Amino acid sequence: MGVQSKPVPIGPWGKATAGAAGAVLANALVYPLDLVKTKLQVQVKQTDSEKTTGADEPHYKSTWDAVSRIAGAEGVAGLYAGMAGSLAGVASTNFAYFYWYSVVRVLYLKYNKGNAQPSTVVELSLGAVAGALAQLFTIPVAVVTTRQQTQKKEERKGFVDTAKEVIESEDGVFGLWRGLKASLVLVVNPAITYGAYERLKDIVFPGKTNLKPWEAFVLGAMSKSLATILTQPLIVAKVGLQSRPPAARQGKPFKSFIEVMKFIVENEGALSLFKGMGPQLLKGLLVQGILMMTKERVELMFILFVRYLQRVRSRQVTRSADLAAAVVAAKGAMPLTVK
């Protein structure tokens, strides 16, 4: 019977790299859904006169309508507009989140006097702290990406030029942090997601360290769906803050997510706070499922790699010790020379 290896901790950097890798892969696979949900969330309900005369801005009726019309007008490439910046934002945000989440969780377990696992409330709190720290460093990328996704084809610019456009607006360089307050409020989304994931993992697969791909996918999808439904109005408000203001505002940007929500309710009704829910939910379900599935695999690869390095080092130490012992034995066996 073989001896079971001790668990190998991969540390915050390993977990952050695994999380970022999983997030980039997942978001790359479903990016058109991300683009469509952003366009649906920023569009304003058309008036009867706009429907009759036709408006400059296209108005999409559904996810499929948006996909087919964007592809028809701009080709398949139109469904991937702003993808490079988006993936850069995804990588940085998830790396920062998983890094800080690992750090604060380790610190909590280290200084917590009890040996019990963190409660659901504690898991949510740890996730919120990690999310807030991550947002402070990564929100500028999200602002630029949102602008890119909502630009017209003829006005489309690269990541750097779009960033310059944001900085040259009335908010100046602080425009890169537009929606920060909403983003800080929205840390409840990943907090709910990962808090629910950890809790469901303990309930559904108690004592299991490494999940199978389908198990991680199901848990990730369930936890993200719950978080999305609870926070959708805030998600819509954040997108409204970071994109160009609607025509009805005559170029005047929103100042707070409360102002965005008030504008939406007054012009479109309360249900419009949940616009774009279809692609948002589908995207979140797929992304979180693929992310957690990939993250579990990458973490396992890190663990196996660390174990391999440990074995190599152990062999080198053993060989060095054997060589040293052989040298000592050889010296002891040498005959004394009489002068």
Side-chain angles (χ1 to χ4, degrees):
M1 186 174 174
V3 179
Q4 206 171 20
S5 300
K6 293 181 179 179
V8 179
I10 60 174
W13 286 97
K15 289 183 178 294
T17 303
V24 169
L25 174 62
N27 279 273
L29 292 174
V30 301
Y31 182 77
L33 278 175
D34 185 43
L35 178 77
V36 168
K37 69 90 181 168
T38 301
K39 287 184 177 293
L40 289 174
Q41 287 169 352
V42 299
Q43 71 180 10
V44 179
K45 189 176 181 180
Q46 287 181 313
T47 61
D48 292 334
S49 60
E50 287 174 332
K51 290 178 182 178
T52 305
T53 59
D56 292 336
E57 293 286 342
H59 195 275
Y60 307 111
K61 298 177 182 177
S62 65
T63 302
W64 178 248
D65 180 49
V67 170
S68 57
R69 288 174 64 183
I70 292 170
E74 306 177 36
V76 176
L79 293 171
Y80 293 88
M83 181 174 174
S86 177
L87 293 184
V90 163
S92 59
T93 301
N94 280 273
F95 184 92
Y97 179 83
F98 282 107
Y99 177 82
W100 289 115
Y101 183 76
S102 298
V103 169
V104 297
R105 200 169 192 274
V106 167
L107 287 174
Y108 172 82
L109 293 174
K110 182 178 179 180
Y111 293 105
N112 183 31
K113 293 180 181 178
N115 294 321
Q117 286 296 307
S119 64
T120 302
V121 174
V122 171
E123 288 283 11
L124 292 176
S125 300
L126 295 176
V129 171
L133 290 168
Q135 285 297 328
L136 287 171
F137 295 102
T138 61
I139 195 171
V141 181
V143 171
V144 176
T145 299
T146 300
R147 283 291 183 95
Q148 283 186 300
Q149 290 179 334
T150 53
Q151 287 169 344
K152 296 179 183 178
K153 183 181 179 181
E154 57 274 13
E155 298 174 352
R156 194 162 293 154
K157 301 175 182 177
F159 187 86
V160 174
D161 289 333
T162 304
K164 287 180 181 177
E165 180 184 275
V166 174
I167 294 171
E168 290 168 359
S169 66
E170 64 178 64
D171 291 330
V173 71
F174 294 106
L176 291 172
W177 275 268
R178 273 183 84 56
L180 177 60
K181 291 180 181 178
S183 295
L184 291 177
V185 174
L186 268 172
V187 298
V188 298
N189 186 293
I192 293 171
T193 301
Y194 297 111
Y197 183 88
E198 293 294 335
R199 190 57 51 223
L200 286 170
K201 185 177 180 180
D202 291 338
I203 295 171
V204 182
F205 306 106
K208 198 167 185 178
T209 304
N210 296 314
L211 300 181
K212 295 178 181 177
W214 72 267
E215 293 171 339
F217 183 95
V218 170
L219 289 186
M222 289 171 61
S223 59
K224 189 61 178 181
S225 296
L226 174 64
T228 299
I229 292 170
L230 293 175
T231 60
Q232 182 66 9
L234 291 173
I235 294 171
V236 172
K238 177 189 171 185
V239 172
L241 268 175
Q242 294 178 339
S243 62
R244 286 183 178 179
R249 300 265 309 174
Q250 298 178 341
K252 182 182 178 182
F254 293 106
K255 296 296 183 184
S256 67
F257 65 95
I258 297 296
E259 189 179 0
V260 178
M261 294 170 76
K262 185 179 178 181
F263 175 84
I264 292 172
V265 172
E266 289 176 350
N267 289 270
E268 305 175 63
L271 285 178
S272 290
L273 290 172
F274 291 87
K275 59 186 176 181
M277 171 67 91
Q280 179 82 49
L281 197 57
L282 180 58
K283 179 226 170 187
L285 185 150
L286 291 173
V287 165
Q288 199 63 33
I290 297 170
L291 188 159
M292 298 312 294
M293 180 176 68
T294 307
K295 177 177 175 289
E296 293 281 345
R297 296 298 97 188
V298 174
E299 283 187 2
L300 182 58
M301 288 171 60
F302 267 109
I303 290 171
L304 293 175
F305 181 64
V306 171
R307 282 181 179 169
Y308 171 75
L309 292 179
Q310 288 176 342
R311 286 174 185 169
V312 171
R313 182 173 176 78
S314 178
R315 287 172 189 165
Q316 289 176 340
V317 170
T318 302
R319 286 174 185 170
S320 297
D322 290 344
L323 182 60
V327 170
V328 171
K331 285 183 177 179
M334 288 177 63
L336 292 174
T337 305
V338 181
K339 294 184 180 179

